[in-house]
Amino acid sequence: MPIQKVEKIWMDGRLVDWDDATIHVLSHTLHYGSGVFEGIRAYATADGPAVFRLTDHIRRLHESARMLLIEVPFSVAQIVEAVKETVRVNNVEECYIRPLIYLGYGEMGLNPLPCPVNVSVACWPWGTYLGDEGIRHGVRMKISSWRRQDPNMIPPAAKVTGLYVNSSLAKVEALKAGYDEAILLNTAGYVSECTGENIFVVKDGTIYTPPLAAGALDGITRDSVRTIAGDLGYQLVEANLLRSDLYIADEAFLTGTAAEIVPIRSVDDRMIGEPGEMTRKIQETYFAAIRGQVEAYKGWVEHVRT
Ligand code: PPE
């Protein structure tokens, strides 16, 4: 589905018309994948649009930049404000938000340090990432033949644009084989995460998710699920998982800002089935929390109109 165009995009401190948000073809990031980005969602609440865990996302954006030695010309507070402004001026009730820090036009070559650092924030309405059917009845997953990037190749903890070639290879492989989404193992053979989501399984009443050291991104949805699961009285353990742990799971689901919380219906054709009770309760709580309907989690929603 093509991107649904809105009016303005924030670029380096000013709002420009959507069609004018262009960059030079010799921008460093376009050639070497040297940018860092975030994926954030804003949801309609009783008090207008609110961005879910905005400050946490922008902090992670700054940390991604720090790992790449990129000096960001805007503070966390300034980018938080830029996101709010972008959502406000575009008059959208719910949207996906894509902040991007990229190295622009200046010098060419593998050394990124002399390049100018640019920051942009775009937003647009974006519906379900893995389909409405997927959210309700679960998605079909395939374990990829591609391995997750080793932490000593490109840090998976950083949302680096170039890292996503790995995700795209896995995604295309899964789609062409007739599946909805891919799961990547790390170089040691343990489960790391999906192409753009973290993964969880339930076995005998306990929830398991791979540790960050397995190559999983420190997902903000993953972290929200940890809190929600705890509050629901569920035990959640970080542990290395084998592909066979996925095959015999009682329940399984994936989490991400774009995807939200999506049940897993099968892995490599081994059936898990319709979403289980724990998955449904976590999903329900999350969907209420993002719209500011859960008192305990109101701190997670950051309103754009103050
Ligand atoms: N792992 C990866 C590799 C990843 O890209 C994401 C987010 C997550 C886990 C979940 O993180 P969080 O959103 O903080 O819960 N992926 C973003 C990009 C997706 C895209 O298609 O682009 C997102 O969900 O916005």
Side-chain angles (χ1 to χ4, degrees):
M1 234 216 275
I3 297 177
Q4 197 180 322
K5 187 168 150 178
V6 296
E7 266 188 46
K8 300 279 183 189
I9 291 179
W10 188 97
M11 290 180 93
D12 301 311
R14 58 191 196 95
L15 290 161
V16 301
D17 287 341
W18 180 277
D19 290 329
D20 296 335
T22 54
I23 59 161
H24 198 279
V25 72
L26 294 181
S27 297
H28 191 275
T29 293
L30 191 57
H31 295 249
Y32 305 118
S34 53
V36 293
F37 71 101
E38 269 303 319
I40 315 175
R41 274 189 189 270
Y43 294 95
T45 74
D47 307 310
V51 185
F52 188 67
R53 300 191 64 174
L54 172 58
T55 306
D56 292 330
H57 277 281
I58 304 305
R59 275 202 201 110
R60 188 173 67 184
L61 180 68
H62 259 252
E63 285 175 3
S64 293
R66 190 168 157 191
M67 284 185 255
L68 263 65
L69 291 167
I70 295 173
E71 282 187 35
V72 191
F74 296 94
S75 66
V76 170
Q78 283 172 318
I79 302 178
V80 162
E81 198 36 58
V83 168
K84 290 183 180 177
E85 190 184 1
T86 308
V87 174
R88 261 194 321 259
V89 299
N90 284 302
N91 276 315
V92 279
E93 282 298 305
E94 301 213 341
C95 63
Y96 183 77
I97 302 155
R98 172 54 58 82
L100 172 70
I101 299 175
Y102 60 98
L103 304 181
Y105 171 80
E107 290 202 20
M108 201 44 90
L110 268 296
N111 177 12
L113 300 178
C115 293
V117 179
N118 296 109
V119 184
S120 64
V121 179
C123 76
W124 65 90
W126 197 4
T128 51
Y129 187 71
L130 295 171
D132 295 336
E133 195 61 18
I135 288 213
R136 270 198 300 267
H137 299 292
V139 287
R140 298 178 61 241
M141 306 293 288
K142 181 191 193 310
I143 295 183
S144 187
S145 71
W146 297 97
R147 293 297 171 104
R148 194 63 163 158
Q149 215 97 207
D150 185 90
N152 291 308
M153 296 174 184
I154 301 175
K159 278 186 80 78
V160 183
T161 58
L163 184 60
Y164 282 79
V165 173
N166 180 239
S167 285
S168 288
L169 286 168
K171 183 81 189 186
V172 169
E173 181 186 66
L175 291 178
K176 283 195 175 290
Y179 296 86
D180 300 308
E181 174 59 314
I183 297 162
L184 290 116
L185 306 180
N186 58 28
T187 47
Y190 294 111
V191 175
S192 65
E193 58 180 342
C194 312
T195 66
E197 307 92 358
N198 291 109
I199 188 165
F200 293 77
V201 299
V202 179
K203 188 70 181 172
D204 298 329
T206 299
I207 307 171
Y208 298 89
T209 195
L212 302 185
L217 180 74
D218 191 359
I220 288 168
T221 322
R222 177 183 185 270
D223 181 68
S224 306
V225 163
R226 184 204 311 280
T227 302
I228 291 169
D231 292 348
L232 288 169
Y234 299 151
Q235 201 196 356
L236 192 154
V237 177
E238 281 191 12
N240 270 323
L241 300 173
L242 296 166
R243 64 195 297 165
S244 51
D245 292 323
L246 307 183
Y247 292 166
I248 57 168
D250 297 330
E251 300 183 27
F253 58 93
L254 49 85
T255 67
T257 299
E260 302 174 310
I261 297 180
V262 180
I264 294 174
R265 192 173 179 81
S266 65
V267 178
D268 288 346
D269 303 307
R270 276 75 169 178
M271 278 306 282
I272 296 170
E274 283 290 312
E277 191 193 320
M278 290 168 74
T279 303
R280 274 193 286 106
K281 278 206 174 136
I282 292 170
Q283 221 187 4
E284 248 169 54
T285 312
Y286 180 77
F287 283 124
I290 54 183
R291 293 188 171 81
Q293 293 158 1
V294 183
E295 199 53 45
Y297 309 135
K298 280 208 164 155
W300 282 343
V301 301
E302 302 181 39
H303 292 98
V304 306
R305 297 185 198 123
T306 44

